[in-house]
Amino acid sequence: MNPGFWHFDFYSSLPFWAALAVSAIVIRLLDKSVRARGFALAILSALMLLALPGFGPGHLALVLGLAVLTYVLGAALVRTPSAPGRRRKALAALGITAVLAFLAFFKYGFVQGLFRTAAGPAGGGLARMIGVSYFSFRMIHFLVEAYRGKIEGLDPLTYVNYVIFFPAFISGPINRYNPFASQVRSAARSKPAADLRAGGERIVHGLFKKFVLAQALYPHILSTQADLLGRMSFWQAALGLYAYAFYFYFDFAGYSDLAIGCARLMGLELPENFDNPFLKRNIRELWTNWHMSLTSWLVDYIYWPIVRKLRSLDYFRRHAVLLSNLGMIITFIGCGMWHGETANFILWGAYHGIGIAALTIYQREKRKVRSAALQKYFRSKLSLALGVFLTFNFFAFGLSLFVLDIRKLGILAAAVLSRL
């Protein structure tokens, strides 16, 4: 348990903002000493994490233990680039497997159920860990890039800071090691006044999105109560899903603004996570601009490895579009599984993967159209507007798969169909 005097929610409580101000001042006062600043950042991040409800010293010890393991394996990969390929693959596989096992245990109830069954009646309840989805992906990124020989500025203190940096710990963005390390270890720091202005502006934007706009939308989102779902018409469900889409955007984009702004106060820049995703003309562009740090991670570490592996087969070399579509569907199914363990999340991932696959085929066929009038339409503002409208609706209606389990989806579908 956290002590009562050191216990607060991030971004929504005055004690957090006071602690952030102290942290930013301390880091700024140590601008001229890279090593002292690194130690201070690690200590402050650890203390901030210990203030989180449900995150105690035991959780921090487990995270740091996994960080030590992945750093040791990553360092071995970086420092022995000429080692036999089989040994390097074994080291990388060991680290990635350990991280995935850690992620699965703390994220999926069925995995813990296996342990509880083995432990008997004393197995205890579910154990969850805040931030596990995000620091796990950072660790996997580090291990893969270490295997590829692309990690720069290898340093244990920097890596610990990379894993537990508190503004991005709970829900990202999923930053990459090299840019983070170059900032932490740089003696040439940005001007505090400029960072205060930029960081403060992002924080104000984040607070408005998360605590004003998102909260205003929340009462109108699609209900998840079975009795209410059973009485809904198509339009009631549609409006509920539209509200959910904007609620998710303002809530998560607001959180990202807050994380980016808080990091900036300490002179560190986190990657952008959203870029007007609901104004994009197709579902691929929407995903390229929605939760960008996750999307790019999925593409780099799931999509491309699958495509490169299967490309060695003659059949897939001859069918490049099929290969790309298969890789995209598998990638988004993985995205769905990362979000949750129930079947509806897998369906949600498949829905988006198939949507992008259909778009790829459509765009390929569209390029074959010889009609000058149609080609002019494809480039028109009307086509853009229609694309934005259809893309938003595709995303919004897909949220039904994200927020409702299979049973409740059935209840909603039966209610809507009965009223058509």
Side-chain angles (χ1 to χ4, degrees):
M1 293 292 293
N2 292 325
F5 64 88
W6 191 248
H7 184 265
F8 49 74
D9 292 313
F10 278 22
Y11 305 122
S12 62
S13 64
L14 289 177
F16 167 80
W17 293 109
L20 173 69
V22 172
S23 299
I25 292 170
V26 169
I27 296 301
R28 287 299 186 177
L29 289 175
L30 296 173
D31 264 355
K32 294 183 179 180
S33 175
V34 172
R35 204 66 183 167
R37 189 174 66 232
F39 277 110
L41 184 59
I43 293 169
L44 290 168
S45 286
L47 290 173
M48 292 293 279
L49 295 184
L50 289 173
L52 285 168
F55 192 96
H59 296 99
L60 181 61
L62 287 171
V63 174
L64 292 176
L66 188 62
V68 169
L69 173 64
T70 52
Y71 178 80
V72 169
L73 293 172
L77 290 167
V78 171
R79 291 167 179 162
T80 57
S82 59
R86 187 174 297 178
R87 178 188 171 191
R88 289 175 57 77
K89 287 182 180 179
L91 288 174
L94 174 61
I96 293 170
T97 300
V99 174
L100 289 176
F102 192 95
L103 171 64
F105 180 81
F106 284 103
K107 191 174 180 69
Y108 305 124
F110 77 91
V111 176
Q112 291 188 30
L114 298 175
F115 283 85
R116 289 201 308 276
T117 300
L126 289 179
R128 300 295 189 187
M129 183 175 291
I130 296 170
V132 65
S133 297
Y134 292 89
F135 68 72
S136 295
F137 274 20
R138 290 190 189 94
M139 291 176 175
I140 291 173
H141 150 74
F142 174 80
L143 289 165
V144 173
E145 296 307 311
Y147 173 76
R148 294 172 176 172
K150 295 182 179 180
I151 289 295
E152 301 169 358
L154 182 68
D155 174 70
L157 178 59
T158 302
Y159 182 67
V160 167
N161 275 314
Y162 172 66
V163 171
I164 68 170
F165 184 52
F166 71 89
F169 186 83
I170 299 175
S171 293
I174 306 172
N175 51 330
R176 306 296 176 98
Y177 178 81
N178 285 348
F180 182 84
S182 67
Q183 294 180 71
V184 170
R185 294 170 59 82
S186 174
R189 302 280 283 171
S190 53
K191 299 292 184 181
D195 285 338
L196 179 62
R197 285 194 299 271
E201 182 178 351
R202 290 303 290 268
I203 288 171
V204 170
H205 289 171
L207 290 171
F208 184 69
K209 289 176 184 174
K210 186 170 180 65
F211 297 109
V212 178
L213 296 178
Q215 295 309 309
L217 286 162
Y218 184 77
H220 307 289
I221 63 176
L222 180 72
S223 174
T224 58
Q225 296 181 25
D227 58 334
L228 294 178
L229 291 171
R231 298 195 299 268
M232 280 191 180
S233 67
F234 171 80
W235 291 111
Q236 287 173 321
L239 291 174
L241 288 169
Y242 291 160
Y244 234 131
F246 283 107
Y247 167 77
F248 271 146
Y249 170 71
F250 287 125
D251 185 68
F252 202 0
Y255 172 88
S256 294
D257 283 342
L258 289 167
I260 291 168
C262 291
R264 188 67 184 269
L265 295 182
M266 291 179 280
L268 297 170
E269 293 188 28
L270 293 173
E272 294 295 336
N273 228 9
F274 292 87
D275 184 14
N276 298 315
F278 293 155
L279 298 179
K280 306 308 176 185
R281 69 189 306 159
N282 60 58
I283 192 62
R284 182 189 294 113
E285 289 185 9
L286 184 151
W287 271 105
T288 303
N289 295 276
W290 172 282
H291 203 346
M292 293 187 285
S293 64
L294 172 62
T295 303
S296 63
W297 192 99
L298 293 169
V299 169
D300 288 346
Y301 300 115
I302 297 181
Y303 174 80
W304 280 117
I306 290 172
V307 169
R308 292 189 183 106
K309 188 69 175 179
L310 293 179
R311 193 180 286 161
S312 62
L313 303 176
D314 290 339
Y315 178 82
F316 285 113
R317 278 202 301 270
R318 295 194 304 269
H319 300 85
V321 173
L322 174 62
L323 172 60
S324 177
N325 286 343
L326 180 62
M328 192 57 65
I329 292 170
I330 295 172
T331 298
F332 269 90
I333 288 175
C335 179
M337 294 172 66
W338 179 76
H339 280 90
E341 62 184 297
T342 52
N344 58 297
F345 287 106
I346 297 174
L347 291 175
W348 174 80
Y351 170 86
H352 282 284
I354 292 170
I356 294 176
L359 172 69
T360 301
I361 295 171
Y362 166 74
Q363 291 182 327
R364 184 188 186 193
E365 296 303 315
K366 188 173 73 172
R367 288 192 290 269
K368 298 178 182 178
V369 173
R370 300 299 179 90
S371 169
L374 281 176
Q375 288 296 341
K376 183 178 180 181
Y377 163 74
F378 293 147
R379 297 189 297 270
S380 69
K381 292 183 179 179
L382 176 60
S383 175
L384 172 62
L386 182 60
V388 170
F389 174 77
L390 293 175
T391 298
F392 173 74
N393 277 273
F394 181 86
F395 180 88
F397 280 92
L399 287 175
S400 60
L401 297 169
F402 191 90
V403 300
L404 300 176
D405 61 30
I406 299 299
R407 184 181 69 86
K408 291 178 180 178
L409 279 168
I411 294 172
L412 177 62
V416 168
L417 290 173
S418 69
R419 287 165 174 77
L420 289 179

